[in-house]
Amino acid sequence: MARILLVDDEASTLGILTTLLKSEDYEVVASQSGEEALALLRGEPFDLIMTDIRMLPVNGMEVLRAAREAVPDTAVVMLTAYGTVETAIEAMKLGAFDYVTKPFKVSELIITVQRALAYKTAISENKNLKAQLRTRYRFENMVAESESMKRVCSMIERVAPTDATILIYGDSGTGKELVAKAIHAYSQRKNRSFLAVNCAALPEALLESEMFGHVKGAFTDASANKKGLFEAAEGGTIFLDEIGSMPLSIQGKLLRVLQEKEVRRVGGNETIPVNARVLAATNLNLETLLRQQKFREDLYYRLNVIAITVDPLRQRRADIMPLVYHVIRQELGAEREIPAIDEQTVRILESYAWPGNVRELENAVKHALTFASDRRVTADVLPAKIVEAVGEAGAEADQADVTVTMRGHSLKTFLRAKEKEYLERVLRAVGGDKEEAARALQISLATLYRKLSADSEPETETPAPVDGRAATRAD
């Protein structure tokens, strides 16, 4: 049900409009002064504002300006007499949706209200769509809303057309291979092979054979000659993932391939020329490995021609919700409707540290979609460990907040602040409906208004003596 704020200092006009709009099943909040309307705008959400222009001391133009600043997506319709049509047109230049002249025709008024509400709905849907798609998909499946990922995309654009060797840094799950694929896809080698090997996943002997190939009889199971990845990727790109885990013995052979542009298969004597661009990635600090003599310095400088760093997801929170919507779209396909994600769930997703980075986020979204119902994603369908982790972090933050911000304040002041914070949270949960909030809180509506509007009272408690002893005592 749409909520409409009516503002007019003429009680008769206000009564007629209220009755008319309620008969059309709209929820109406009536205000007889611009001053009161400004207070209502600060505390309650509205889908439409209808305000008279001529009022004192706060007129309709001031209400319009306040509305455009506080709730820019909410349509404002001006009510005006014939003599002030020029003022109404000026109001439209300032952002009013439309105006209705007094005395008004009922049909004209209702149509204007319907159009204004349709405008509000369209704006909301457009913002939601932008939230879902506010990302640059220039590089397949890459989401780049944060500044750091935009920089990564810019680097890809510049280095992709070259044949330079690239070293990609980033924690596990940040999307290093996705960056490598994007570099290949936008390079001159895009029509040739992109082959990847995880240097941490294979034992030394198998890794050597996988990369450089082997000849028949080189070892027990070598029943035929086999090309390695460098040969198979001829004219294309080879991606060496987790290169920091590569054994030193193979590092020396890789260095020779990079220097001489040729390979020698395991067990063979013949050298074979190769032309494959090398992209490497690591989640380890190679400079630390250099100091520990676990990585060859000459290979490091040969690989680290150009470095690209992919920050962990916790450092680029602007990417979280676009990534969520991207994963949802991938899972549901292009035709199915995107489910709504409520405010609490968004807060949890954006607050969680994501130690597993994008990979963990993808798994969490898939988990949520599996258990979601009524085309809505809520906190209870997220993995429990994520909800619990955010709750614990929030509790710690609250404790820190108490320690820092409440130092020197009385218990009464602290309790009053926490009470008001809880009241406002309940209000947001019920869409600003104060009657519904009062019922949920099991207090009267008058009490709710009083608690929300009450300013902090001066503290009157007698402070304890500095030394912590009672003010008086028997000796």
Side-chain angles (χ1 to χ4, degrees), residues 102 186 243 336 367 413 462:
K102 299 178 184 178
Y186 285 82
I243 197 166
R336 293 177 61 183
H367 180 283
T413 301
T462 302

Side-chain angles (χ1 to χ4, degrees), residues 8 63 73 168 181 361 366 430 441:
D8 199 311
V63 173
D73 295 339
I168 306 167
K181 287 181 177 179
L361 182 140
K366 292 174 183 178
V430 298
L441 293 163

Side-chain angles (χ1 to χ4, degrees), residues 163-198:
D163 267 343
T165 303
I166 312 293
L167 184 56
I168 306 167
Y169 290 93
D171 293 349
S172 295
T174 51
K176 299 186 294 294
E177 184 168 351
L178 204 58
V179 172
K181 287 181 177 179
I183 293 172
H184 172 74
Y186 285 82
S187 73
Q188 297 176 357
R189 299 171 179 264
K190 61 184 178 183
N191 295 321
R192 307 302 292 268
S193 298
F194 175 90
L195 301 177
V197 60
N198 188 325

Side-chain angles (χ1 to χ4, degrees), residues 2-274:
R3 300 185 78 240
I4 301 175
L5 173 61
L6 281 179
V7 191
D8 199 311
D9 57 0
E10 294 181 8
S12 58
T13 303
L14 201 60
I16 293 170
L17 286 172
T18 299
T19 302
L20 176 61
L21 293 174
K22 284 187 174 180
S23 70
E24 295 291 324
D25 291 330
Y26 297 123
E27 181 183 347
V28 179
V29 176
S31 171
Q32 207 169 336
S33 76
E35 210 167 21
E36 182 185 17
L38 296 182
L40 288 168
L41 279 175
R42 287 191 289 268
E44 300 184 42
F46 294 99
D47 300 299
L48 172 62
I49 300 165
M50 297 188 72
T51 178
D52 188 28
I53 291 180
R54 291 197 170 183
M55 297 182 295
L56 290 174
V58 176
N59 63 33
M61 299 294 277
E62 292 176 79
V63 173
L64 170 63
R65 291 189 185 94
R68 300 309 297 157
E69 182 176 343
V71 283
D73 295 339
T74 299
V76 180
V77 173
M78 312 303 290
L79 301 172
T80 180
Y82 282 115
T84 55
V85 169
E86 289 184 3
T87 308
I89 293 173
E90 183 64 27
M92 291 182 67
K93 292 179 181 178
L94 294 175
F97 176 78
D98 205 345
Y99 68 92
V100 176
T101 57
K102 299 178 184 178
F104 50 81
K105 295 179 181 179
V106 172
S107 58
E108 177 188 342
L109 179 76
I110 296 301
I111 289 172
T112 301
V113 168
Q114 291 171 346
R115 286 176 51 243
L117 290 171
Y119 165 83
K120 171 68 164 58
T121 301
I123 290 293
S124 298
E125 289 176 351
N126 187 47
K127 286 187 71 175
N128 186 46
L129 182 61
K130 285 182 178 179
Q132 296 173 23
L133 303 177
R134 59 178 182 181
T135 172
R136 303 190 298 176
Y137 291 102
R138 298 173 304 156
F139 307 114
E140 54 179 86
N141 296 328
M142 287 188 66
V143 171
E145 179 65 19
S146 66
E147 289 304 314
S148 68
M149 281 306 294
K150 287 176 182 177
R151 285 194 295 273
V152 169
C153 287
S154 178
M155 286 285 288
I156 292 172
E157 284 183 325
R158 297 182 68 175
V159 305
T162 74
D163 267 343
T165 303
I166 312 293
L167 184 56
I168 306 167
Y169 290 93
D171 293 349
S172 295
T174 51
K176 299 186 294 294
E177 184 168 351
L178 204 58
V179 172
K181 287 181 177 179
I183 293 172
H184 172 74
Y186 285 82
S187 73
Q188 297 176 357
R189 299 171 179 264
K190 61 184 178 183
N191 295 321
R192 307 302 292 268
S193 298
F194 175 90
L195 301 177
V197 60
N198 188 325
C199 301
L202 299 174
E204 182 174 346
L206 188 55
L207 178 61
E208 183 180 9
S209 172
E210 190 74 11
M211 290 176 59
F212 309 125
H214 61 255
V215 299
K216 181 178 179 180
F219 46 85
T220 304
D221 295 327
S223 56
N225 291 346
K226 177 193 172 184
K227 286 184 178 181
L229 293 178
F230 274 94
E231 288 181 74
E234 179 66 22
T237 303
I238 182 169
F239 175 55
L240 305 176
D241 197 10
E242 306 303 352
I243 197 166
S245 300
M246 179 179 285
L248 281 168
S249 60
I250 299 182
Q251 290 179 29
K253 295 178 180 180
L254 173 61
L255 178 63
R256 179 179 176 80
V257 173
L258 294 175
Q259 289 174 335
E260 307 297 333
K261 305 296 182 184
E262 60 184 26
V263 296
R264 181 182 298 169
R265 294 177 181 173
V266 177
N269 297 316
E270 180 186 0
T271 58
I272 304 167
V274 293

Side-chain angles (χ1 to χ4, degrees), residues 327 330 354 357-367:
V327 174
Q330 283 188 317
W354 300 110
N357 292 294
V358 178
R359 190 177 297 125
E360 183 182 12
L361 182 140
E362 289 176 347
N363 292 338
V365 172
K366 292 174 183 178
H367 180 283

Side-chain angles (χ1 to χ4, degrees), residues 435-451:
E435 291 184 1
E436 181 64 28
R439 282 193 292 271
L441 293 163
Q442 298 182 11
I443 60 177
S444 70
L445 185 59
T447 301
L448 176 61
Y449 271 104
R450 177 174 54 78
K451 288 181 177 293

